[in-house]
């Protein structure tokens, strides 16, 4: 059986210093690539392009979709005006990823959303995001390195994630936003102890999971985090 191709969505930035200053670049953190590779998949980067016909072809060549982390989603996409604390938004990326999610779910391909990707999956299906976690009592924007597990997450009994890790799992935390209202068809299956939503699972898709933390940064120190990627990649195997 051929290894499944896993599309990873990309981010964008302007190069600041050096002779290429001002050049727009698209990129993704190496940790996502290594996590997919370690789980048995073939990572394929999906650059941000907002032409429908091209997005259709991008999705057609991959067997699974990984929505990577990044900046904030435009609040207008879930019917809100921006609050003062909203970070930088990238409308082209929002449009690209919303279309990829729609196509992936329509064609039965597995979707894994990480951090922003978890929120994006929720917005794509009609849910909303808390634009800034002003009320959260725990530290969700940790200052420690990515492989440091800062807070506990309680997993819903019987969920896919509980099947991987049991009742609780320690996670890192690099977010100032989180899912507010879960979309129809998505079940909240994990929360931090202050109530902040940390994961959702699609109720009917073969695999539709979003996690608010960054498991890809934890794999070396916490090998159990690889289980999420393995479950995802295994669902993507081509018949
Ligand atoms: Mn958190």
């Amino acid at each position: 059986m051929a290894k499944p191709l896993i599309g990873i969505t990309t981010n964008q930035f302007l190069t600041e210093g050096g002779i290429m200053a001002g050049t727009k670049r698209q990129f993704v953190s190496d940790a996502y690539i290594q996590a997919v590779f370690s789980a048995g998949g073939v990572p394929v980067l999906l650059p941000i392009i907002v032409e429908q016909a091209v997005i259709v072809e991008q999705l057609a060549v991959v067997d699974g979709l990984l929505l990577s982390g990044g900046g904030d989603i435009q609040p207008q996409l879930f019917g809100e005006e921006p609050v003062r604390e909203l970070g930088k938004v990238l409308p082209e990326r929002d449009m690209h990823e919303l279309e990829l999610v729609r196509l992936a779910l329509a064609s039965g391909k597995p979707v894994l959303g990480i951090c922003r990707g978890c929120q994006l999956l929720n917005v794509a299906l009609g849910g909303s995001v808390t634009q800034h976690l002003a009320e959260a009592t725990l530290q969700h924007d940790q200052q420690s390195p990515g492989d440091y597990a800062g807070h506990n997450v309680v997993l819903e009994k019987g969920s896919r994630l509980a099947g991987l890790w049991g009742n609780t799992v320690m996670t890192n935390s690099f977010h100032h936003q989180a899912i507010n209202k879960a979309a129809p068809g998505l079940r909240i299956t994990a929360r931090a102890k202050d109530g902040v939503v940390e994961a959702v699972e699609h109720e009917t898709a073969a695999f539709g999971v979003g996690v608010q933390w960054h498991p890809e940064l934890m794999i070396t120190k916490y090998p159990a985090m690889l289980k999420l990627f393995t479950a995802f990649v295994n669902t993507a195997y081509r018949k």
Side-chain angles (χ1 to χ4, degrees), residues 125 182-187 201-205 208:
L125 294 172
L186 285 185
R187 198 155 57 100
E201 298 182 26
H202 197 285
E203 284 167 350
T204 55

Side-chain angles (χ1 to χ4, degrees), residues 108-191:
K109 293 179 180 178
V111 178
L112 173 60
I114 292 179
C115 198
R116 165 199 159 88
C118 173
Q119 298 163 14
L120 196 286
L121 173 63
N122 186 50
V123 171
L125 294 172
S128 70
V129 169
T130 299
Q131 293 184 49
H132 185 65
L133 290 171
E135 309 289 313
T137 56
L138 296 178
Q139 187 189 48
H140 290 279
D141 53 346
Q142 75 182 50
Q143 306 301 306
S144 307
D147 63 355
Y148 176 73
H151 72 65
N152 218 320
V153 163
V154 180
L155 306 173
E156 188 189 278
K157 207 172 178 185
S159 64
R160 183 189 285 274
L161 298 184
L164 300 179
W165 298 309
N167 298 330
T168 65
V169 66
M170 286 296 290
T171 70
N172 57 13
S173 196
F174 294 96
H175 57 114
H176 81 111
Q177 302 190 320
I179 287 175
N180 180 13
K181 188 173 150 290
L186 285 185
R187 198 155 57 100
I188 294 170
T189 59
R191 288 183 189 269

Side-chain angles (χ1 to χ4, degrees), residues 5 26 45 58 64 70 85 97 110 142 178 217 222-223 229 237:
L5 304 186
Q26 296 208 27
L45 303 197
Q58 284 184 321
E85 297 87 354
E97 291 185 329
Q142 75 182 50
L217 297 176
Y222 301 92
F229 295 95
Y237 261 98

